């Protein structure tokens, strides 16, 4: 019992701190240091140091910056993700993305340009040729 409590305290990214409920609409920029889940509507950007989850009923019209991003709803805007961007089978993202890794499930929609961050030690072509 105490071990599970210790894990939550030691790694706050395991817990969602902010939830935008299904019947909630927000106009404006959201920023924070924790994790966020959107099941309602956000017209404006999201910038969090933690992870962002856009649930099946979630709609975001604006740019998103997060450590990781999971989209099961709808995002119209650019995404800057330090880690993994995952678009689920019910999700769609319309906009440009900058990510370390990108996963799109069968049925998921992505329309835009993607830029993958280069990992240290990875192959980079010689620009001179």
């Amino acid at each position: 019992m105490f071990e599970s409590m210790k894990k939550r305290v030691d790694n706050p990214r395991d817990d969602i701190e902010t939830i935008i409920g299904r019947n909630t609409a927000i106009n404006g920029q959201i920023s924070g240091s924790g994790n966020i889940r959107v099941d309602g509507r956000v017209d404006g950007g999201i910038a969090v140091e933690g992870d962002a989850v856009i649930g099946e009923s979630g709609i975001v019209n604006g740019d998103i910056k997060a450590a990781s991003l999971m989209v099961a709803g709808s995002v119209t805007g650019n995404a800057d993700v330090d880690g993994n961007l995952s678009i689920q089978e019910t999700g769609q993202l319309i906009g440009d993305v900058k990510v370390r890794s990108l996963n799109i499930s069968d049925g998921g929609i992505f329309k835009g340009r993607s830029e993958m961050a280069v990992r240290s030690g990875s192959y980079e072509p010689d620009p001179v040729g």
Side-chain angles (χ1 to χ4, degrees):
M1 176 171 115
F2 293 111
E3 187 62 32
S4 66
M5 284 179 58
K6 183 176 180 338
K7 284 182 183 176
R8 281 187 290 187
V9 171
D10 290 344
N11 191 359
R13 289 192 174 182
D14 288 341
D15 296 322
I16 295 176
E17 294 179 353
T18 304
I19 298 174
I20 309 301
R22 181 182 300 252
N23 298 315
T24 302
I26 294 181
N27 293 308
Q29 178 76 20
I30 298 173
S31 61
S33 60
N35 301 327
I36 186 169
R37 179 180 177 99
V38 177
D39 290 316
R41 181 181 185 105
V42 174
D43 290 312
I46 297 173
V48 291
E49 293 175 20
D51 303 328
V53 175
I54 312 305
E56 284 189 35
S57 61
I59 299 170
V60 176
N61 293 309
D63 296 343
I64 299 177
K65 177 157 180 44
S68 73
L69 173 61
M70 194 274 288
V71 178
S74 174
V75 174
T76 303
N78 300 327
D80 185 354
V81 181
D82 295 331
N84 182 57
L85 165 59
S86 176
I87 301 173
Q88 304 299 305
E89 59 275 356
T90 58
Q92 73 171 19
L93 190 149
I94 311 299
D96 297 340
V97 299
K98 183 177 179 182
V99 299
R100 182 162 308 276
S101 68
L102 174 62
N103 299 310
I104 303 173
S105 297
D106 191 22
I109 297 169
F110 170 62
K111 184 175 182 181
R113 295 179 312 151
S114 65
E115 179 182 332
M116 304 287 286
V118 177
R119 293 183 207 132
S120 61
S122 295
Y123 169 77
E124 287 189 59
D126 184 359
V128 178

